[in-house]
Amino acid sequence: TDSENFISSMIVAQDVYLEPILGTDLMNRYKTMISEGTLDSSVNTDYKELLDNYIKPLLIRFFMMAYLPVTNYQHSNAGITKHTSDNIETVDSLGVDKLINHQEGLAKHYEARLIHYLCHNDELFPEYEINEDGKTSPRTTTTFTGWFI
């Protein structure tokens, strides 16, 4: 269903794309603050700013990269089916690839902004520097290779 594709794509965006940038410890810090309802606490203003201004714009792009390939498909006992309608023209795989590439270009921009901010403000986010015992270490360099126009 649409909601299953939506949720699955958000999990992929967080686990596959975002966690390697933040590292396991900072990612877990956010999960804890959100589940405990303490993100809006005055002691977490730096984390809230990071989330609102740097993580969310990037996470939206990662979500779109994960969601676009599966948005027209449904998994069922009958196999994988594609939604069609008489009044709607479906986009071919080349069109979907173009949309994904556009989102990836935007993601690279937001990734560079996030990493730059974290590296220049690492004293505010000690979890960004600490990842031991086989946890995912944060990415401190970007894969951004140029301007996206």
Side-chain angles (χ1 to χ4, degrees), residues 84-97:
T84 59
S85 173
D86 294 336
N87 300 330
I88 298 173
E89 182 180 340
T90 58
V91 178
D92 63 10
S93 62
L94 191 59
V96 173
D97 288 344

Side-chain angles (χ1 to χ4, degrees), residues 75-143:
H75 306 260
S76 70
N77 290 338
I80 299 173
T81 58
K82 182 176 181 180
H83 297 286
T84 59
S85 173
D86 294 336
N87 300 330
I88 298 173
E89 182 180 340
T90 58
V91 178
D92 63 10
S93 62
L94 191 59
V96 173
D97 288 344
K98 187 175 180 180
L99 291 171
I100 293 168
N101 289 338
H102 176 72
Q103 293 300 319
E104 185 177 13
L106 293 171
K108 287 179 182 181
H109 165 76
Y110 288 115
E111 177 185 345
R113 283 182 63 226
L114 172 60
I115 291 173
H116 179 78
Y117 182 80
L118 283 168
C119 288
H120 286 83
N121 295 283
D122 59 339
E123 72 280 356
L124 300 175
F125 311 101
E127 301 86 357
Y128 186 64
E129 296 293 321
I130 310 167
N131 283 281
E132 301 170 348
D133 301 326
K135 297 177 186 172
T136 301
S137 295
R139 188 177 305 148
T140 56
T141 58
T142 182
T143 58

